[in-house]
Amino acid sequence: MMIREQIETKIRAEFTPLYLEVVDESYRHNVPAGSESHFKVVLVSDRFNGERILSRHRAIYGVLADELAGPVHALALHTYTVKEWEGLQDKVPASPPCRGAGVPG
C-alpha cells in the first residue's frame, strides 16, 4: 500500500472524517522521483469540536507515528470542525513553496 493510502486509511479509521483530502506534495520538493515524503492533509471532523489546533495535530501525529518515524518528512495539517470548514467555504490555504527547492541534499 502506498504511503498516501496508509495515511488516509488510518485517519479515516480514527477520526471518521466528514471531509478528508491527503495530497502527496513530494513533487514540490527536492527529493528523488517517486518519493512519498511530503504530504498535506485536510481533515474535517466532529471530533475536533472544542479542541485547540495543537491538540488536533497531536492526535493526528499519534495516529501516524509509524509514518512520521519513517518515510514521511513533512506533514502539513489543516484541521477543521464542520463550522470552521463552512466558514472557509471549502477553501484551504495553499502550501508554501519549498524553501529547499533546487538545493542538492
Side-chain angles (χ1 to χ4, degrees):
M1 179 182 303
M2 297 181 75
I3 301 299
R4 186 196 59 74
E5 292 168 337
Q6 286 176 276
I7 291 170
E8 189 173 314
T9 298
K10 287 183 173 186
I11 288 175
R12 282 193 188 284
E14 184 68 25
F15 296 95
T16 316
L18 298 160
Y19 178 82
L20 174 62
E21 182 179 10
V22 179
V23 180
D24 183 352
E25 296 187 325
S26 302
Y27 70 93
R28 300 181 65 206
H29 302 274
N30 188 28
V31 296
S35 294
E36 287 187 283
S37 58
H38 295 71
F39 291 90
K40 175 169 77 174
V41 173
V42 180
L43 175 57
V44 180
S45 176
D46 284 331
R47 178 168 165 183
F48 296 144
N49 291 335
E51 284 193 29
R52 293 181 178 201
I53 290 175
L54 184 58
S55 175
R56 299 172 190 186
H57 290 199
R58 284 182 177 156
I60 294 169
Y61 295 150
V63 169
L64 301 178
D66 290 340
E67 289 76 12
L68 291 166
V72 177
H73 172 74
L75 186 64
L77 299 176
H78 302 276
T79 57
Y80 306 101
T81 65
V82 173
K83 186 175 181 177
E84 292 166 340
W85 182 245
E86 289 170 353
L88 287 172
Q89 299 178 349
D90 300 340
K91 293 183 182 170
V92 176
S95 295
C98 177
R99 291 171 37 157
V103 177

